[in-house]
């Protein structure tokens, strides 16, 4: 498995810990975030990770900023991306099983690193369940593609 990871300046330490954790599990990690404490605008990392995920160069993405909000908002502007902010493992699992989230995001100012590892594990180990969820995810993508929804 190959995962892209990105972060801003407030999440360097957590990014390093999550990278090491993923690598210890045999995951190949592509780091496109910042590695220094100098101010770094989170949309840059959000966009970089999103492009790698959308192009299929990696299997998924992990994004970390202060809250996970800004960086996921940026990623979600790239066509084909479903980035979810999660602060606990249950939402992380359902984000993949029901919403087919291809990027998981969280906040270095919100959760600790051990919880972050659990969130990443739940999301990576979960599988999209398809079925009724496929229809709903297709509707999300329809809004993205057409700025409309046939059904309404
Ligand atoms: C940076 O100060 C902070 O705004 C950023 O890390 C993030 O929380 C934005 O959503």
């Amino acid at each position: 498995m190959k995962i892209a990871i990105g972060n801003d300046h407030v999440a360097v330490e957590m990014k390093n810990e999550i990278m090491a954790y993923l690598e210890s599990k045999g995951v190949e990690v592509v780091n496109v975030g910042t590695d220094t404490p100098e101010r770094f605008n989170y949309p840059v990392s959000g966009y970089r990770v999103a492009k790698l995920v959308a192009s299929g160069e990696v299997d998924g993405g992990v994004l970390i900023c202060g809250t996970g909000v800004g960086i996921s908002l940026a990623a979600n502007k790239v066509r084909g991306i479903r980035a979810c902010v999660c602060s606990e493992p249950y939402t992380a699992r359902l984000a993949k099983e029901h919403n087919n989230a291809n990027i998981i995001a969280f906040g270095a100012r919100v959760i600790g690193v051990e919880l972050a590892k659990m969130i990443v594990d739940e999301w990576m180990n979960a599988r999209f369940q398809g079925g009724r969820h496929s229809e709903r995810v297709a509707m999300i993508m329809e809004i993205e593609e057409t700025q409309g929804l046939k059904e309404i």
Side-chain angles (χ1 to χ4, degrees), residues 26-42:
V27 175
E28 187 182 343
V29 184
V30 181
N31 173 21
V32 294
T34 182
D35 293 313
T36 74
E38 277 80 57
R39 193 152 61 170
F40 184 92
N41 293 329
Y42 55 78

PDB file of all heavy atoms in Angstrom, residues 26-42:
ATOM      1  N   GLY A  26       4.881  -1.440   7.048  1.00  0.00           N
ATOM      2  CA  GLY A  26       5.171  -1.824   5.666  1.00  0.00           C
ATOM      3  C   GLY A  26       4.477  -0.969   4.619  1.00  0.00           C
ATOM      4  O   GLY A  26       4.493  -1.293   3.429  1.00  0.00           O
ATOM      5  N   VAL A  27       3.877   0.148   5.045  1.00  0.00           N
ATOM      6  CA  VAL A  27       3.216   1.055   4.094  1.00  0.00           C
ATOM      7  C   VAL A  27       4.271   1.994   3.501  1.00  0.00           C
ATOM      8  O   VAL A  27       5.102   2.540   4.224  1.00  0.00           O
ATOM      9  CB  VAL A  27       2.124   1.888   4.816  1.00  0.00           C
ATOM     10  CG1 VAL A  27       1.513   2.922   3.885  1.00  0.00           C
ATOM     11  CG2 VAL A  27       1.053   0.967   5.397  1.00  0.00           C
ATOM     12  N   GLU A  28       4.220   2.175   2.182  1.00  0.00           N
ATOM     13  CA  GLU A  28       5.112   3.140   1.536  1.00  0.00           C
ATOM     14  C   GLU A  28       4.473   4.518   1.678  1.00  0.00           C
ATOM     15  O   GLU A  28       3.297   4.694   1.348  1.00  0.00           O
ATOM     16  CB  GLU A  28       5.276   2.774   0.058  1.00  0.00           C
ATOM     17  CG  GLU A  28       6.308   3.611  -0.654  1.00  0.00           C
ATOM     18  CD  GLU A  28       6.423   3.265  -2.140  1.00  0.00           C
ATOM     19  OE1 GLU A  28       5.952   2.182  -2.543  1.00  0.00           O
ATOM     20  OE2 GLU A  28       6.964   4.103  -2.867  1.00  0.00           O
ATOM     21  N   VAL A  29       5.233   5.488   2.186  1.00  0.00           N
ATOM     22  CA  VAL A  29       4.673   6.814   2.448  1.00  0.00           C
ATOM     23  C   VAL A  29       5.348   7.859   1.571  1.00  0.00           C
ATOM     24  O   VAL A  29       6.585   7.929   1.510  1.00  0.00           O
ATOM     25  CB  VAL A  29       4.832   7.205   3.940  1.00  0.00           C
ATOM     26  CG1 VAL A  29       4.158   8.550   4.208  1.00  0.00           C
ATOM     27  CG2 VAL A  29       4.236   6.138   4.860  1.00  0.00           C
ATOM     28  N   VAL A  30       4.530   8.660   0.890  1.00  0.00           N
ATOM     29  CA  VAL A  30       5.037   9.777   0.086  1.00  0.00           C
ATOM     30  C   VAL A  30       4.747  11.051   0.874  1.00  0.00           C
ATOM     31  O   VAL A  30       3.586  11.424   1.063  1.00  0.00           O
ATOM     32  CB  VAL A  30       4.328   9.831  -1.286  1.00  0.00           C
ATOM     33  CG1 VAL A  30       4.884  10.976  -2.125  1.00  0.00           C
ATOM     34  CG2 VAL A  30       4.459   8.502  -2.018  1.00  0.00           C
ATOM     35  N   ASN A  31       5.785  11.703   1.347  1.00  0.00           N
ATOM     36  CA  ASN A  31       5.641  12.890   2.183  1.00  0.00           C
ATOM     37  C   ASN A  31       5.694  14.153   1.324  1.00  0.00           C
ATOM     38  O   ASN A  31       6.733  14.470   0.757  1.00  0.00           O
ATOM     39  CB  ASN A  31       6.776  12.898   3.227  1.00  0.00           C
ATOM     40  CG  ASN A  31       6.813  14.190   4.044  1.00  0.00           C
ATOM     41  OD1 ASN A  31       5.826  14.915   4.128  1.00  0.00           O
ATOM     42  ND2 ASN A  31       7.963  14.460   4.641  1.00  0.00           N
ATOM     43  N   VAL A  32       4.568  14.855   1.247  1.00  0.00           N
ATOM     44  CA  VAL A  32       4.553  16.093   0.456  1.00  0.00           C
ATOM     45  C   VAL A  32       4.254  17.310   1.341  1.00  0.00           C
ATOM     46  O   VAL A  32       3.935  18.384   0.847  1.00  0.00           O
ATOM     47  CB  VAL A  32       3.529  16.006  -0.703  1.00  0.00           C
ATOM     48  CG1 VAL A  32       3.945  14.952  -1.711  1.00  0.00           C
ATOM     49  CG2 VAL A  32       2.117  15.735  -0.187  1.00  0.00           C
ATOM     50  N   GLY A  33       4.345  17.118   2.648  1.00  0.00           N
ATOM     51  CA  GLY A  33       4.097  18.218   3.574  1.00  0.00           C
ATOM     52  C   GLY A  33       5.384  18.946   3.929  1.00  0.00           C
ATOM     53  O   GLY A  33       6.462  18.633   3.410  1.00  0.00           O
ATOM     54  N   THR A  34       5.244  19.894   4.843  1.00  0.00           N
ATOM     55  CA  THR A  34       6.430  20.623   5.295  1.00  0.00           C
ATOM     56  C   THR A  34       7.115  19.860   6.430  1.00  0.00           C
ATOM     57  O   THR A  34       6.462  19.139   7.194  1.00  0.00           O
ATOM     58  CB  THR A  34       6.057  22.046   5.760  1.00  0.00           C
ATOM     59  OG1 THR A  34       7.260  22.722   6.143  1.00  0.00           O
ATOM     60  CG2 THR A  34       5.100  22.034   6.935  1.00  0.00           C
ATOM     61  N   ASP A  35       8.434  20.053   6.516  1.00  0.00           N
ATOM     62  CA  ASP A  35       9.203  19.390   7.578  1.00  0.00           C
ATOM     63  C   ASP A  35       9.830  20.394   8.532  1.00  0.00           C
ATOM     64  O   ASP A  35      10.684  20.040   9.341  1.00  0.00           O
ATOM     65  CB  ASP A  35      10.300  18.513   6.944  1.00  0.00           C
ATOM     66  CG  ASP A  35       9.695  17.340   6.181  1.00  0.00           C
ATOM     67  OD1 ASP A  35       8.800  16.672   6.746  1.00  0.00           O
ATOM     68  OD2 ASP A  35      10.074  17.115   5.027  1.00  0.00           O
ATOM     69  N   THR A  36       9.424  21.659   8.433  1.00  0.00           N
ATOM     70  CA  THR A  36      10.008  22.694   9.282  1.00  0.00           C
ATOM     71  C   THR A  36       8.904  23.464  10.017  1.00  0.00           C
ATOM     72  O   THR A  36       7.749  23.450   9.580  1.00  0.00           O
ATOM     73  CB  THR A  36      10.835  23.707   8.453  1.00  0.00           C
ATOM     74  OG1 THR A  36       9.917  24.539   7.731  1.00  0.00           O
ATOM     75  CG2 THR A  36      11.778  23.017   7.489  1.00  0.00           C
ATOM     76  N   PRO A  37       9.260  24.168  11.103  1.00  0.00           N
ATOM     77  CA  PRO A  37       8.236  24.908  11.861  1.00  0.00           C
ATOM     78  C   PRO A  37       7.872  26.264  11.251  1.00  0.00           C
ATOM     79  O   PRO A  37       7.011  26.962  11.778  1.00  0.00           O
ATOM     80  CB  PRO A  37       8.888  25.083  13.239  1.00  0.00           C
ATOM     81  CG  PRO A  37      10.350  24.977  13.000  1.00  0.00           C
ATOM     82  CD  PRO A  37      10.556  24.147  11.779  1.00  0.00           C
ATOM     83  N   GLU A  38       8.492  26.627  10.135  1.00  0.00           N
ATOM     84  CA  GLU A  38       8.129  27.917   9.507  1.00  0.00           C
ATOM     85  C   GLU A  38       6.697  27.853   8.980  1.00  0.00           C
ATOM     86  O   GLU A  38       6.263  26.804   8.502  1.00  0.00           O
ATOM     87  CB  GLU A  38       9.064  28.244   8.326  1.00  0.00           C
ATOM     88  CG  GLU A  38      10.357  28.889   8.728  1.00  0.00           C
ATOM     89  CD  GLU A  38      11.351  27.847   9.222  1.00  0.00           C
ATOM     90  OE1 GLU A  38      11.643  26.920   8.440  1.00  0.00           O
ATOM     91  OE2 GLU A  38      11.795  27.953  10.381  1.00  0.00           O
ATOM     92  N   ARG A  39       6.022  28.986   9.022  1.00  0.00           N
ATOM     93  CA  ARG A  39       4.621  29.011   8.595  1.00  0.00           C
ATOM     94  C   ARG A  39       4.467  28.440   7.181  1.00  0.00           C
ATOM     95  O   ARG A  39       5.218  28.801   6.270  1.00  0.00           O
ATOM     96  CB  ARG A  39       4.094  30.441   8.648  1.00  0.00           C
ATOM     97  CG  ARG A  39       2.595  30.494   8.536  1.00  0.00           C
ATOM     98  CD  ARG A  39       2.036  31.691   9.224  1.00  0.00           C
ATOM     99  NE  ARG A  39       2.576  32.914   8.611  1.00  0.00           N
ATOM    100  CZ  ARG A  39       2.119  34.119   8.882  1.00  0.00           C
ATOM    101  NH1 ARG A  39       1.168  34.283   9.760  1.00  0.00           N
ATOM    102  NH2 ARG A  39       2.633  35.171   8.301  1.00  0.00           N
ATOM    103  N   PHE A  40       3.507  27.553   7.026  1.00  0.00           N
ATOM    104  CA  PHE A  40       3.311  26.851   5.751  1.00  0.00           C
ATOM    105  C   PHE A  40       1.807  26.736   5.513  1.00  0.00           C
ATOM    106  O   PHE A  40       1.083  26.179   6.336  1.00  0.00           O
ATOM    107  CB  PHE A  40       3.954  25.460   5.840  1.00  0.00           C
ATOM    108  CG  PHE A  40       3.905  24.673   4.560  1.00  0.00           C
ATOM    109  CD1 PHE A  40       4.951  24.724   3.650  1.00  0.00           C
ATOM    110  CD2 PHE A  40       2.806  23.883   4.262  1.00  0.00           C
ATOM    111  CE1 PHE A  40       4.912  24.002   2.462  1.00  0.00           C
ATOM    112  CE2 PHE A  40       2.752  23.158   3.079  1.00  0.00           C
ATOM    113  CZ  PHE A  40       3.800  23.215   2.177  1.00  0.00           C
ATOM    114  N   ASN A  41       1.345  27.268   4.425  1.00  0.00           N
ATOM    115  CA  ASN A  41      -0.106  27.319   4.170  1.00  0.00           C
ATOM    116  C   ASN A  41      -0.660  25.929   3.846  1.00  0.00           C
ATOM    117  O   ASN A  41      -0.279  25.309   2.844  1.00  0.00           O
ATOM    118  CB  ASN A  41      -0.401  28.303   3.040  1.00  0.00           C
ATOM    119  CG  ASN A  41      -0.085  29.735   3.459  1.00  0.00           C
ATOM    120  OD1 ASN A  41      -0.216  30.073   4.645  1.00  0.00           O
ATOM    121  ND2 ASN A  41       0.350  30.558   2.532  1.00  0.00           N
ATOM    122  N   TYR A  42      -1.612  25.494   4.670  1.00  0.00           N
ATOM    123  CA  TYR A  42      -2.132  24.119   4.544  1.00  0.00           C
ATOM    124  C   TYR A  42      -2.746  23.779   3.189  1.00  0.00           C
ATOM    125  O   TYR A  42      -2.721  22.608   2.803  1.00  0.00           O
ATOM    126  CB  TYR A  42      -3.131  23.821   5.681  1.00  0.00           C
ATOM    127  CG  TYR A  42      -4.279  24.797   5.786  1.00  0.00           C
ATOM    128  CD1 TYR A  42      -5.354  24.722   4.922  1.00  0.00           C
ATOM    129  CD2 TYR A  42      -4.279  25.808   6.742  1.00  0.00           C
ATOM    130  CE1 TYR A  42      -6.397  25.626   4.994  1.00  0.00           C
ATOM    131  CE2 TYR A  42      -5.321  26.716   6.825  1.00  0.00           C
ATOM    132  CZ  TYR A  42      -6.371  26.619   5.952  1.00  0.00           C
ATOM    133  OH  TYR A  42      -7.398  27.520   6.015  1.00  0.00           O
TER     134      TYR A  42
END
